[in-house]
Amino acid sequence: GYTDRAVSMVAQLLAEFEHKIDSMTVIPSRGGVFEVTAGDNLVYSKKATGVHAEYDDVAVPLRELLG
């Protein structure tokens, strides 16, 4: 299900960005919502796109934001 995909995404993000982030919070929700924010910046929204994120959908904008 989507929980496994979200956990996998978190593991990949931590592997790549662990030295650039202070914390990561996963908040379970209902209704197919999957959003990734960095500070006040919305990085990805499944609610807006209608598509569950692939890794690069999240990682590319995070790389641009975090440098």
Side-chain angles (χ1 to χ4, degrees):
Y2 288 116
T3 299
D4 293 339
R5 288 184 75 173
V7 169
S8 176
M9 176 80 68
V10 167
Q12 289 177 284
L13 291 170
L14 283 172
E16 180 172 349
F17 298 104
E18 67 180 320
H19 300 295
K20 295 185 177 189
I21 60 173
D22 294 326
S23 66
M24 183 179 292
T25 305
V26 177
I27 303 170
S29 68
R30 299 204 186 283
V33 175
F34 180 84
E35 294 189 329
V36 178
T37 59
D40 293 331
N41 300 295
L42 181 62
V43 174
Y44 186 85
S45 172
K46 179 180 177 240
K47 187 175 180 180
T49 65
V51 179
H52 197 288
E54 296 298 327
Y55 182 71
D56 281 342
D57 296 329
V58 175
V60 169
L62 273 178
R63 284 183 203 119
E64 292 171 2
L65 222 109
L66 299 175

CSV table of all heavy atoms in Angstrom, one decimal:
chain,number,residue,atom,x,y,z
A,1,GLY,N,0.8,-1.2,0.0
A,1,GLY,CA,0.0,0.0,0.0
A,1,GLY,C,0.9,1.3,0.0
A,1,GLY,O,2.1,1.2,-0.2
A,2,TYR,N,0.2,2.3,0.3
A,2,TYR,CA,0.9,3.6,0.2
A,2,TYR,C,1.8,3.8,1.4
A,2,TYR,O,2.8,4.6,1.3
A,2,TYR,CB,-0.1,4.8,0.2
A,2,TYR,CG,-0.8,4.9,-1.2
A,2,TYR,CD1,-2.2,4.7,-1.3
A,2,TYR,CD2,0.0,5.2,-2.3
A,2,TYR,CE1,-2.7,4.8,-2.6
A,2,TYR,CE2,-0.6,5.3,-3.6
A,2,TYR,CZ,-2.0,5.0,-3.7
A,2,TYR,OH,-2.5,5.1,-4.9
A,3,THR,N,1.5,3.1,2.5
A,3,THR,CA,2.4,3.3,3.7
A,3,THR,C,3.8,2.8,3.3
A,3,THR,O,4.8,3.4,3.7
A,3,THR,CB,1.8,2.5,4.9
A,3,THR,OG1,0.6,3.0,5.2
A,3,THR,CG2,2.8,2.6,6.1
A,4,ASP,N,3.9,1.6,2.7
A,4,ASP,CA,5.2,1.1,2.3
A,4,ASP,C,5.9,2.0,1.3
A,4,ASP,O,7.1,2.2,1.4
A,4,ASP,CB,5.0,-0.3,1.6
A,4,ASP,CG,4.5,-1.4,2.5
A,4,ASP,OD1,4.7,-1.2,3.7
A,4,ASP,OD2,4.0,-2.4,2.0
A,5,ARG,N,5.2,2.7,0.4
A,5,ARG,CA,5.8,3.6,-0.5
A,5,ARG,C,6.3,4.9,0.2
A,5,ARG,O,7.4,5.4,0.0
A,5,ARG,CB,4.8,4.1,-1.6
A,5,ARG,CG,4.5,3.0,-2.6
A,5,ARG,CD,3.6,3.5,-3.7
A,5,ARG,NE,4.4,4.3,-4.6
A,5,ARG,CZ,3.9,4.8,-5.7
A,5,ARG,NH1,2.7,4.6,-6.1
A,5,ARG,NH2,4.7,5.6,-6.5
A,6,ALA,N,5.5,5.3,1.2
A,6,ALA,CA,5.9,6.5,2.0
A,6,ALA,C,7.2,6.2,2.8
A,6,ALA,O,8.1,7.0,2.9
A,6,ALA,CB,4.8,7.0,2.9
A,7,VAL,N,7.2,5.0,3.5
A,7,VAL,CA,8.4,4.6,4.3
A,7,VAL,C,9.6,4.5,3.4
A,7,VAL,O,10.7,4.9,3.8
A,7,VAL,CB,8.0,3.3,5.0
A,7,VAL,CG1,9.3,2.7,5.7
A,7,VAL,CG2,7.0,3.5,6.1
A,8,SER,N,9.4,3.9,2.2
A,8,SER,CA,10.6,3.8,1.3
A,8,SER,C,11.1,5.2,0.9
A,8,SER,O,12.3,5.4,0.8
A,8,SER,CB,10.1,3.0,0.1
A,8,SER,OG,11.1,2.9,-0.9
A,9,MET,N,10.2,6.1,0.6
A,9,MET,CA,10.5,7.5,0.2
A,9,MET,C,11.3,8.1,1.4
A,9,MET,O,12.3,8.8,1.1
A,9,MET,CB,9.3,8.3,-0.1
A,9,MET,CG,9.5,9.7,-0.4
A,9,MET,SD,10.1,10.1,-2.1
A,9,MET,CE,8.7,9.7,-3.0
A,10,VAL,N,10.9,8.0,2.6
A,10,VAL,CA,11.5,8.5,3.8
A,10,VAL,C,13.0,8.0,3.9
A,10,VAL,O,13.9,8.7,4.1
A,10,VAL,CB,10.8,8.3,5.1
A,10,VAL,CG1,11.6,8.6,6.3
A,10,VAL,CG2,9.5,9.1,5.1
A,11,ALA,N,13.1,6.7,3.7
A,11,ALA,CA,14.4,6.0,3.8
A,11,ALA,C,15.4,6.6,2.7
A,11,ALA,O,16.5,6.9,3.0
A,11,ALA,CB,14.3,4.5,3.6
A,12,GLN,N,14.9,6.7,1.5
A,12,GLN,CA,15.7,7.3,0.4
A,12,GLN,C,16.1,8.7,0.7
A,12,GLN,O,17.2,9.2,0.5
A,12,GLN,CB,14.9,7.2,-0.9
A,12,GLN,CG,14.8,5.8,-1.5
A,12,GLN,CD,14.0,5.8,-2.7
A,12,GLN,OE1,12.8,5.9,-2.7
A,12,GLN,NE2,14.7,5.6,-3.9
A,13,LEU,N,15.1,9.5,1.2
A,13,LEU,CA,15.4,10.9,1.4
A,13,LEU,C,16.4,11.1,2.6
A,13,LEU,O,17.3,11.9,2.5
A,13,LEU,CB,14.1,11.7,1.8
A,13,LEU,CG,13.1,11.9,0.7
A,13,LEU,CD1,11.8,12.4,1.2
A,13,LEU,CD2,13.6,12.8,-0.4
A,14,LEU,N,16.3,10.3,3.6
A,14,LEU,CA,17.3,10.3,4.7
A,14,LEU,C,18.7,9.9,4.2
A,14,LEU,O,19.6,10.5,4.6
A,14,LEU,CB,16.8,9.4,5.8
A,14,LEU,CG,15.7,10.0,6.7
A,14,LEU,CD1,15.3,8.9,7.7
A,14,LEU,CD2,16.2,11.2,7.4
A,15,ALA,N,18.7,8.9,3.3
A,15,ALA,CA,20.0,8.5,2.8
A,15,ALA,C,20.7,9.6,2.0
A,15,ALA,O,21.9,9.8,2.2
A,15,ALA,CB,19.8,7.2,1.9
A,16,GLU,N,19.9,10.3,1.3
A,16,GLU,CA,20.5,11.4,0.5
A,16,GLU,C,20.7,12.7,1.2
A,16,GLU,O,21.7,13.4,1.0
A,16,GLU,CB,19.7,11.7,-0.8
A,16,GLU,CG,20.3,12.8,-1.6
A,16,GLU,CD,19.6,13.0,-3.0
A,16,GLU,OE1,18.8,12.2,-3.4
A,16,GLU,OE2,20.0,14.0,-3.6
A,17,PHE,N,19.8,13.1,2.1
A,17,PHE,CA,19.8,14.4,2.7
A,17,PHE,C,20.1,14.4,4.2
A,17,PHE,O,19.9,15.5,4.8
A,17,PHE,CB,18.4,15.1,2.4
A,17,PHE,CG,18.1,15.3,1.0
A,17,PHE,CD1,17.2,14.5,0.3
A,17,PHE,CD2,18.7,16.3,0.3
A,17,PHE,CE1,16.9,14.7,-1.0
A,17,PHE,CE2,18.5,16.5,-1.1
A,17,PHE,CZ,17.6,15.7,-1.7
A,18,GLU,N,20.5,13.3,4.8
A,18,GLU,CA,20.6,13.3,6.2
A,18,GLU,C,21.5,14.4,6.8
A,18,GLU,O,21.3,14.8,7.9
A,18,GLU,CB,21.1,11.9,6.7
A,18,GLU,CG,22.5,11.6,6.2
A,18,GLU,CD,22.9,10.2,6.7
A,18,GLU,OE1,22.6,9.8,7.8
A,18,GLU,OE2,23.6,9.5,6.0
A,19,HIS,N,22.5,14.8,6.0
A,19,HIS,CA,23.4,15.9,6.6
A,19,HIS,C,22.9,17.3,6.2
A,19,HIS,O,23.6,18.2,6.6
A,19,HIS,CB,24.8,15.7,6.0
A,19,HIS,CG,25.4,14.3,6.4
A,19,HIS,ND1,25.7,14.0,7.7
A,19,HIS,CD2,25.7,13.2,5.6
A,19,HIS,CE1,26.2,12.7,7.7
A,19,HIS,NE2,26.2,12.3,6.5
A,20,LYS,N,21.8,17.4,5.6
A,20,LYS,CA,21.3,18.7,5.2
A,20,LYS,C,19.9,19.0,5.9
A,20,LYS,O,19.4,20.1,5.7
A,20,LYS,CB,21.1,18.8,3.7
A,20,LYS,CG,22.4,18.7,2.9
A,20,LYS,CD,22.2,18.9,1.5
A,20,LYS,CE,23.6,18.9,0.8
A,20,LYS,NZ,23.5,19.3,-0.6
A,21,ILE,N,19.4,18.1,6.6
A,21,ILE,CA,18.1,18.3,7.3
A,21,ILE,C,18.2,18.2,8.8
A,21,ILE,O,19.1,17.4,9.2
A,21,ILE,CB,17.0,17.4,6.7
A,21,ILE,CG1,17.3,15.9,7.0
A,21,ILE,CG2,16.7,17.7,5.3
A,21,ILE,CD1,16.2,15.0,6.6
A,22,ASP,N,17.5,18.9,9.5
A,22,ASP,CA,17.5,18.8,11.0
A,22,ASP,C,16.5,17.8,11.5
A,22,ASP,O,16.7,17.2,12.5
A,22,ASP,CB,17.1,20.2,11.6
A,22,ASP,CG,18.2,21.2,11.3
A,22,ASP,OD1,19.4,20.8,11.3
A,22,ASP,OD2,17.9,22.4,11.2
A,23,SER,N,15.4,17.6,10.8
A,23,SER,CA,14.4,16.7,11.3
A,23,SER,C,13.4,16.3,10.1
A,23,SER,O,13.4,17.0,9.1
A,23,SER,CB,13.5,17.2,12.4
A,23,SER,OG,12.8,18.3,12.0
A,24,MET,N,12.8,15.2,10.3
A,24,MET,CA,11.8,14.8,9.3
A,24,MET,C,10.6,14.2,10.1
A,24,MET,O,10.8,13.4,11.0
A,24,MET,CB,12.4,13.7,8.4
A,24,MET,CG,11.4,13.3,7.3
A,24,MET,SD,12.1,12.0,6.1
A,24,MET,CE,13.3,13.0,5.3
A,25,THR,N,9.4,14.6,9.7
A,25,THR,CA,8.2,14.2,10.4
A,25,THR,C,7.3,13.5,9.3
A,25,THR,O,7.0,14.1,8.3
A,25,THR,CB,7.5,15.4,11.0
A,25,THR,OG1,8.4,16.0,11.9
A,25,THR,CG2,6.2,14.9,11.8
A,26,VAL,N,6.7,12.4,9.7
A,26,VAL,CA,5.8,11.7,8.8
A,26,VAL,C,4.4,11.7,9.6
A,26,VAL,O,4.4,11.3,10.7
A,26,VAL,CB,6.2,10.2,8.5
A,26,VAL,CG1,5.1,9.5,7.7
A,26,VAL,CG2,7.5,10.2,7.8
A,27,ILE,N,3.4,12.3,8.9
A,27,ILE,CA,2.1,12.4,9.5
A,27,ILE,C,1.1,11.6,8.7
A,27,ILE,O,0.8,11.9,7.6
A,27,ILE,CB,1.6,13.9,9.6
A,27,ILE,CG1,2.7,14.7,10.3
A,27,ILE,CG2,0.3,14.0,10.2
A,27,ILE,CD1,2.4,16.2,10.2
A,28,PRO,N,0.7,10.4,9.3
A,28,PRO,CA,-0.3,9.6,8.5
A,28,PRO,C,-1.6,10.4,8.3
A,28,PRO,O,-2.0,11.2,9.1
A,28,PRO,CB,-0.6,8.4,9.5
A,28,PRO,CG,0.6,8.4,10.4
A,28,PRO,CD,1.0,9.9,10.6
A,29,SER,N,-2.2,10.2,7.2
A,29,SER,CA,-3.5,10.9,6.9
A,29,SER,C,-4.4,10.0,6.1
A,29,SER,O,-4.0,8.9,5.7
A,29,SER,CB,-3.2,12.2,6.1
A,29,SER,OG,-2.7,11.9,4.8
A,30,ARG,N,-5.5,10.4,5.8
A,30,ARG,CA,-6.5,9.7,5.0
A,30,ARG,C,-6.8,10.5,3.7
A,30,ARG,O,-6.5,11.7,3.6
A,30,ARG,CB,-7.8,9.5,5.8
A,30,ARG,CG,-7.5,8.7,7.1
A,30,ARG,CD,-8.8,8.0,7.5
A,30,ARG,NE,-8.7,7.3,8.8
A,30,ARG,CZ,-8.1,6.2,9.0
A,30,ARG,NH1,-7.5,5.6,8.0
A,30,ARG,NH2,-8.1,5.6,10.2
A,31,GLY,N,-7.5,9.8,2.8
A,31,GLY,CA,-7.9,10.6,1.6
A,31,GLY,C,-6.9,10.7,0.5
A,31,GLY,O,-7.0,11.5,-0.4
A,32,GLY,N,-5.8,9.9,0.6
A,32,GLY,CA,-4.8,10.0,-0.5
A,32,GLY,C,-3.9,11.2,-0.5
A,32,GLY,O,-3.3,11.5,-1.5
A,33,VAL,N,-3.8,11.9,0.7
A,33,VAL,CA,-2.9,13.1,0.7
A,33,VAL,C,-1.5,12.6,1.0
A,33,VAL,O,-1.2,11.8,1.8
A,33,VAL,CB,-3.4,14.0,1.9
A,33,VAL,CG1,-2.4,15.2,2.0
A,33,VAL,CG2,-4.8,14.5,1.6
A,34,PHE,N,-0.6,13.1,0.2
A,34,PHE,CA,0.9,12.9,0.3
A,34,PHE,C,1.5,14.2,0.0
A,34,PHE,O,1.6,14.6,-1.2
A,34,PHE,CB,1.4,11.8,-0.6
A,34,PHE,CG,2.8,11.5,-0.4
A,34,PHE,CD1,3.3,10.7,0.6
A,34,PHE,CD2,3.8,12.1,-1.3
A,34,PHE,CE1,4.7,10.4,0.7
A,34,PHE,CE2,5.1,11.9,-1.1
A,34,PHE,CZ,5.6,11.0,-0.1
A,35,GLU,N,2.0,14.9,1.0
A,35,GLU,CA,2.7,16.2,0.8
A,35,GLU,C,4.0,16.2,1.4
A,35,GLU,O,4.2,15.7,2.5
A,35,GLU,CB,1.8,17.4,1.3
A,35,GLU,CG,0.5,17.5,0.6
A,35,GLU,CD,-0.3,18.8,0.9
A,35,GLU,OE1,-0.2,19.2,2.1
A,35,GLU,OE2,-1.0,19.3,0.0
A,36,VAL,N,4.9,16.9,0.8
A,36,VAL,CA,6.3,17.0,1.3
A,36,VAL,C,6.6,18.5,1.4
A,36,VAL,O,6.4,19.2,0.4
A,36,VAL,CB,7.3,16.3,0.4
A,36,VAL,CG1,8.7,16.5,0.9
A,36,VAL,CG2,7.0,14.8,0.3
A,37,THR,N,7.0,18.9,2.5
A,37,THR,CA,7.4,20.3,2.7
A,37,THR,C,8.8,20.4,3.3
A,37,THR,O,9.2,19.5,4.0
A,37,THR,CB,6.4,21.1,3.7
A,37,THR,OG1,6.4,20.4,4.9
A,37,THR,CG2,5.0,21.1,3.1
A,38,ALA,N,9.4,21.5,3.0
A,38,ALA,CA,10.7,21.8,3.6
A,38,ALA,C,10.6,23.2,4.1
A,38,ALA,O,10.5,24.2,3.4
A,38,ALA,CB,11.8,21.7,2.5
A,39,GLY,N,10.6,23.3,5.5
A,39,GLY,CA,10.3,24.6,6.1
A,39,GLY,C,8.8,25.0,5.7
A,39,GLY,O,7.9,24.2,5.8
A,40,ASP,N,8.7,26.2,5.1
A,40,ASP,CA,7.4,26.6,4.7
A,40,ASP,C,7.2,26.4,3.2
A,40,ASP,O,6.2,26.8,2.6
A,40,ASP,CB,7.3,28.1,4.9
A,40,ASP,CG,7.2,28.5,6.4
A,40,ASP,OD1,6.7,27.6,7.2
A,40,ASP,OD2,7.7,29.5,6.8
A,41,ASN,N,8.1,25.7,2.5
A,41,ASN,CA,8.0,25.4,1.1
A,41,ASN,C,7.3,24.1,0.8
A,41,ASN,O,7.8,23.0,1.2
A,41,ASN,CB,9.4,25.4,0.5
A,41,ASN,CG,10.1,26.7,0.7
A,41,ASN,OD1,9.7,27.8,0.1
A,41,ASN,ND2,11.2,26.7,1.4
A,42,LEU,N,6.3,24.1,0.0
A,42,LEU,CA,5.6,22.9,-0.5
A,42,LEU,C,6.5,22.3,-1.6
A,42,LEU,O,6.6,22.9,-2.6
A,42,LEU,CB,4.2,23.1,-0.9
A,42,LEU,CG,3.4,21.9,-1.4
A,42,LEU,CD1,3.3,20.9,-0.3
A,42,LEU,CD2,2.1,22.4,-1.9
A,43,VAL,N,7.1,21.2,-1.4
A,43,VAL,CA,7.9,20.5,-2.4
A,43,VAL,C,7.1,19.6,-3.3
A,43,VAL,O,7.4,19.6,-4.5
A,43,VAL,CB,9.0,19.7,-1.7
A,43,VAL,CG1,9.9,18.9,-2.6
A,43,VAL,CG2,9.9,20.7,-0.8
A,44,TYR,N,6.2,18.9,-2.8
A,44,TYR,CA,5.3,18.0,-3.6
A,44,TYR,C,4.0,17.9,-3.0
A,44,TYR,O,3.9,17.7,-1.7
A,44,TYR,CB,6.0,16.6,-3.8
A,44,TYR,CG,5.2,15.8,-4.8
A,44,TYR,CD1,5.4,15.9,-6.1
A,44,TYR,CD2,4.2,14.9,-4.3
A,44,TYR,CE1,4.7,15.2,-7.0
A,44,TYR,CE2,3.5,14.2,-5.2
A,44,TYR,CZ,3.7,14.3,-6.6
A,44,TYR,OH,3.0,13.6,-7.5
A,45,SER,N,2.9,17.8,-3.8
A,45,SER,CA,1.6,17.6,-3.3
A,45,SER,C,0.9,16.6,-4.2
A,45,SER,O,0.6,16.9,-5.3
A,45,SER,CB,0.8,18.9,-3.2
A,45,SER,OG,-0.5,18.6,-2.9
A,46,LYS,N,0.6,15.4,-3.7
A,46,LYS,CA,-0.2,14.5,-4.4
A,46,LYS,C,-1.7,15.0,-4.6
A,46,LYS,O,-2.3,14.8,-5.6
A,46,LYS,CB,-0.3,13.1,-3.7
A,46,LYS,CG,-1.1,12.1,-4.5
A,46,LYS,CD,-1.1,10.8,-3.7
A,46,LYS,CE,-2.0,9.8,-4.5
A,46,LYS,NZ,-3.1,9.3,-3.7
A,47,LYS,N,-2.1,15.7,-3.6
A,47,LYS,CA,-3.5,16.3,-3.7
A,47,LYS,C,-3.5,17.3,-4.9
A,47,LYS,O,-4.5,17.3,-5.6
A,47,LYS,CB,-3.8,17.1,-2.4
A,47,LYS,CG,-5.2,17.6,-2.3
A,47,LYS,CD,-5.5,18.2,-1.0
A,47,LYS,CE,-6.9,18.7,-0.9
A,47,LYS,NZ,-7.2,19.3,0.4
A,48,ALA,N,-2.5,18.0,-5.2
A,48,ALA,CA,-2.5,19.0,-6.3
A,48,ALA,C,-2.2,18.2,-7.6
A,48,ALA,O,-2.8,18.6,-8.6
A,48,ALA,CB,-1.4,20.0,-6.1
A,49,THR,N,-1.4,17.2,-7.6
A,49,THR,CA,-1.0,16.6,-8.9
A,49,THR,C,-1.9,15.4,-9.2
A,49,THR,O,-2.0,15.0,-10.4
A,49,THR,CB,0.4,16.0,-8.9
A,49,THR,OG1,0.5,15.0,-7.9
A,49,THR,CG2,1.4,17.2,-8.6
A,50,GLY,N,-2.5,14.8,-8.2
A,50,GLY,CA,-3.3,13.6,-8.4
A,50,GLY,C,-2.5,12.3,-8.6
A,50,GLY,O,-3.0,11.3,-8.9
A,51,VAL,N,-1.2,12.4,-8.5
A,51,VAL,CA,-0.2,11.3,-8.7
A,51,VAL,C,0.7,11.1,-7.5
A,51,VAL,O,1.2,12.1,-7.0
A,51,VAL,CB,0.6,11.6,-10.0
A,51,VAL,CG1,1.6,10.5,-10.2
A,51,VAL,CG2,-0.2,11.9,-11.2
A,52,HIS,N,0.9,9.9,-7.1
A,52,HIS,CA,1.8,9.6,-6.0
A,52,HIS,C,3.2,9.9,-6.5
A,52,HIS,O,3.6,9.5,-7.6
A,52,HIS,CB,1.7,8.2,-5.5
A,52,HIS,CG,2.3,8.0,-4.2
A,52,HIS,ND1,3.7,8.0,-4.0
A,52,HIS,CD2,1.8,7.8,-2.9
A,52,HIS,CE1,3.9,7.8,-2.7
A,52,HIS,NE2,2.8,7.7,-2.0
A,53,ALA,N,4.0,10.5,-5.7
A,53,ALA,CA,5.4,11.0,-6.1
A,53,ALA,C,6.3,9.8,-6.3
A,53,ALA,O,6.3,8.8,-5.5
A,53,ALA,CB,5.9,11.9,-5.0
A,54,GLU,N,7.1,9.9,-7.3
A,54,GLU,CA,8.3,9.1,-7.5
A,54,GLU,C,9.4,9.8,-6.7
A,54,GLU,O,9.3,11.0,-6.5
A,54,GLU,CB,8.6,8.9,-8.9
A,54,GLU,CG,7.5,8.1,-9.7
A,54,GLU,CD,7.3,6.7,-9.2
A,54,GLU,OE1,8.3,6.1,-8.8
A,54,GLU,OE2,6.1,6.3,-9.3
A,55,TYR,N,10.5,9.1,-6.5
A,55,TYR,CA,11.6,9.7,-5.7
A,55,TYR,C,12.1,11.0,-6.3
A,55,TYR,O,12.2,12.0,-5.6
A,55,TYR,CB,12.7,8.7,-5.6
A,55,TYR,CG,13.9,9.3,-4.7
A,55,TYR,CD1,13.7,9.5,-3.3
A,55,TYR,CD2,15.0,9.7,-5.3
A,55,TYR,CE1,14.7,10.0,-2.6
A,55,TYR,CE2,16.0,10.3,-4.5
A,55,TYR,CZ,15.9,10.4,-3.2
A,55,TYR,OH,16.8,11.0,-2.4
A,56,ASP,N,12.3,11.1,-7.6
A,56,ASP,CA,12.9,12.3,-8.2
A,56,ASP,C,11.9,13.5,-8.1
A,56,ASP,O,12.3,14.6,-8.2
A,56,ASP,CB,13.3,12.1,-9.6
A,56,ASP,CG,14.7,11.4,-9.6
A,56,ASP,OD1,15.4,11.4,-8.6
A,56,ASP,OD2,15.1,10.8,-10.7
A,57,ASP,N,10.6,13.2,-8.0
A,57,ASP,CA,9.6,14.2,-7.9
A,57,ASP,C,9.8,15.0,-6.6
A,57,ASP,O,9.4,16.2,-6.6
A,57,ASP,CB,8.1,13.7,-7.9
A,57,ASP,CG,7.8,13.0,-9.2
A,57,ASP,OD1,8.3,13.4,-10.3
A,57,ASP,OD2,7.0,12.0,-9.2
A,58,VAL,N,10.3,14.4,-5.6
A,58,VAL,CA,10.6,15.0,-4.3
A,58,VAL,C,12.1,15.4,-4.2
A,58,VAL,O,12.4,16.5,-3.8
A,58,VAL,CB,10.2,14.1,-3.2
A,58,VAL,CG1,10.6,14.7,-1.8
A,58,VAL,CG2,8.7,13.7,-3.2
A,59,ALA,N,13.0,14.6,-4.7
A,59,ALA,CA,14.4,14.8,-4.5
A,59,ALA,C,14.9,16.0,-5.3
A,59,ALA,O,15.7,16.8,-4.8
A,59,ALA,CB,15.2,13.5,-4.8
A,60,VAL,N,14.5,16.1,-6.5
A,60,VAL,CA,15.0,17.2,-7.4
A,60,VAL,C,14.7,18.6,-6.8
A,60,VAL,O,15.6,19.4,-6.6
A,60,VAL,CB,14.5,17.1,-8.8
A,60,VAL,CG1,14.8,18.3,-9.7
A,60,VAL,CG2,15.1,15.8,-9.5
A,61,PRO,N,13.4,18.9,-6.4
A,61,PRO,CA,13.2,20.2,-5.8
A,61,PRO,C,13.9,20.3,-4.5
A,61,PRO,O,14.3,21.5,-4.1
A,61,PRO,CB,11.6,20.2,-5.7
A,61,PRO,CG,11.1,19.0,-6.1
A,61,PRO,CD,12.2,18.1,-6.7
A,62,LEU,N,14.0,19.2,-3.7
A,62,LEU,CA,14.7,19.4,-2.4
A,62,LEU,C,16.2,19.7,-2.7
A,62,LEU,O,16.8,20.5,-2.0
A,62,LEU,CB,14.6,18.1,-1.6
A,62,LEU,CG,13.4,17.9,-0.7
A,62,LEU,CD1,13.5,16.5,0.0
A,62,LEU,CD2,13.4,19.0,0.3
A,63,ARG,N,16.8,19.1,-3.7
A,63,ARG,CA,18.2,19.4,-4.0
A,63,ARG,C,18.3,20.9,-4.4
A,63,ARG,O,19.3,21.5,-3.9
A,63,ARG,CB,18.7,18.6,-5.2
A,63,ARG,CG,19.0,17.1,-4.9
A,63,ARG,CD,19.5,16.4,-6.1
A,63,ARG,NE,19.3,15.0,-5.9
A,63,ARG,CZ,18.5,14.2,-6.7
A,63,ARG,NH1,18.0,14.7,-7.8
A,63,ARG,NH2,18.4,12.9,-6.4
A,64,GLU,N,17.4,21.4,-5.1
A,64,GLU,CA,17.4,22.8,-5.5
A,64,GLU,C,17.3,23.7,-4.3
A,64,GLU,O,17.9,24.7,-4.2
A,64,GLU,CB,16.3,23.1,-6.5
A,64,GLU,CG,16.6,22.4,-7.9
A,64,GLU,CD,15.4,22.5,-8.8
A,64,GLU,OE1,14.3,23.2,-8.4
A,64,GLU,OE2,15.5,22.0,-9.9
A,65,LEU,N,16.4,23.3,-3.4
A,65,LEU,CA,16.1,24.1,-2.2
A,65,LEU,C,17.3,24.1,-1.2
A,65,LEU,O,17.7,25.1,-0.6
A,65,LEU,CB,14.9,23.6,-1.5
A,65,LEU,CG,13.9,24.6,-1.0
A,65,LEU,CD1,12.7,24.6,-1.8
A,65,LEU,CD2,13.6,24.3,0.4
A,66,LEU,N,17.8,22.9,-1.0
A,66,LEU,CA,18.9,22.7,0.0
A,66,LEU,C,20.3,22.9,-0.5
A,66,LEU,O,21.2,23.0,0.3
A,66,LEU,CB,18.8,21.3,0.6
A,66,LEU,CG,17.4,20.9,1.3
A,66,LEU,CD1,17.4,19.5,1.7
A,66,LEU,CD2,17.2,21.8,2.5
A,67,GLY,N,20.4,22.9,-1.8
A,67,GLY,CA,21.7,23.2,-2.4
A,67,GLY,C,22.7,22.0,-2.4
A,67,GLY,O,22.8,21.1,-1.8
